[in-house]
Amino acid sequence: MKKLMFIAVLVVSTLSATAQEVDFGIKGGFNYGATGDLKMENASNDLGDIIDGKEKSGYHLGFFSRLEILGIFLQPELMYTRLNTEYKDFDYKIDKLDLPVLVGVNVFGPLNIKAGPSFQYILSNDLENTELKIGEVENDITVGYQLGVGATLGSLGLDLRYEGAFSDNTAFSEQASENFQIDSRPSQWILSLSYAF
């Protein structure tokens, strides 16, 4: 995974040197979504109840760069993201760093479409409104995807994207008396406002 992130940074650096237009800026906004299922185990260690996470709002903020060559652009970003999910008896909170590397094309006037992988590093995951404790996720670094549409008006940009994940990333309970696990992969809509310097 570290090799993939190194390759992504190397590609961005190489393209920066040959790009016809390079923008840097800040962005932030709101996200709305949830993590995966909560699975409760019964006394025989079989999976009992499976509870869907209820979507809640979160937020994100960070930096982006946009490198355009012949009408196609590469847009790497570094974002801090808070993702919240509501389960029946508690809330689940994830803080992560996202590194999406999106390829896009301008389709009509200020409108564009974009898609690409999103590398995610989980900083922390916690339960709220409960005495239960949860351990760390299985994988600190995972790869997901983002796809969406945007509009650029001068220095301002507006994006609407969907983010998903390719594989499970489970977190387990820390207490033997309370056996449960949460699929921590994100499924969320992302609305962002950006400003290019």
Side-chain angles (χ1 to χ4, degrees):
M1 192 62 61
K2 291 180 180 177
K3 289 180 182 178
L4 286 174
M5 293 183 77
F6 175 75
I7 290 170
V9 170
L10 184 63
V11 168
V12 169
S13 299
T14 303
L15 289 174
S16 295
T18 59
Q20 295 173 341
E21 182 180 333
V22 181
D23 291 326
F24 296 94
I26 56 174
K27 63 179 300 186
F30 298 98
N31 33 289
Y32 183 76
T35 50
D37 294 335
L38 164 67
K39 298 177 182 178
M40 305 293 292
E41 296 181 4
N42 58 29
S44 63
N45 289 329
D46 294 326
L47 288 179
D49 295 334
I50 297 179
I51 301 168
D52 290 333
K54 183 179 177 183
E55 294 88 355
K56 290 188 73 174
S57 61
Y59 61 88
H60 58 277
L61 51 97
F63 306 94
F64 75 94
S65 176
R66 184 169 166 154
L67 322 167
E68 189 167 338
I69 304 172
L70 301 175
I72 298 173
F73 62 85
L74 181 70
Q75 185 167 318
E77 302 174 353
L78 180 61
M79 308 296 298
Y80 170 82
T81 301
R82 164 71 57 87
L83 176 62
N84 298 307
T85 305
E86 181 181 336
Y87 293 101
K88 184 171 66 173
D89 298 319
F90 53 78
D91 290 345
Y92 184 48
K93 175 184 73 176
I94 290 181
D95 293 324
K96 60 188 181 118
L97 288 179
D98 290 323
L99 176 65
V101 182
L102 307 176
V103 176
V105 62
N106 297 314
V107 290
F108 179 74
L111 301 179
N112 61 69
I113 56 174
K114 57 183 78 87
S118 180
F119 303 91
Q120 302 162 7
Y121 177 71
I122 305 294
L123 298 170
S124 67
N125 64 317
D126 296 301
L127 302 180
E128 295 184 328
N129 305 319
T130 181
E131 297 297 319
L132 299 175
K133 302 293 182 186
I134 194 162
E136 296 181 0
V137 294
E138 285 182 306
N139 301 301
D140 288 339
I141 299 175
T142 59
V143 180
Y145 61 90
Q146 291 186 6
L147 51 94
V149 297
T152 304
L153 302 169
S155 295
L156 294 177
L158 184 67
D159 271 350
L160 177 63
R161 300 182 198 165
Y162 175 77
E163 179 184 61
F166 292 120
S167 59
D168 293 353
N169 194 19
T170 306
F172 296 90
S173 60
E174 285 189 336
Q175 297 140 302
S177 60
E178 296 287 346
N179 289 330
F180 65 89
Q181 61 189 54
I182 298 177
D183 180 3
S184 299
R185 57 185 161 170
S187 174
Q188 63 177 339
W189 290 96
I190 303 168
L191 180 64
S192 303
L193 182 66
S194 62
Y195 180 79
F197 299 117

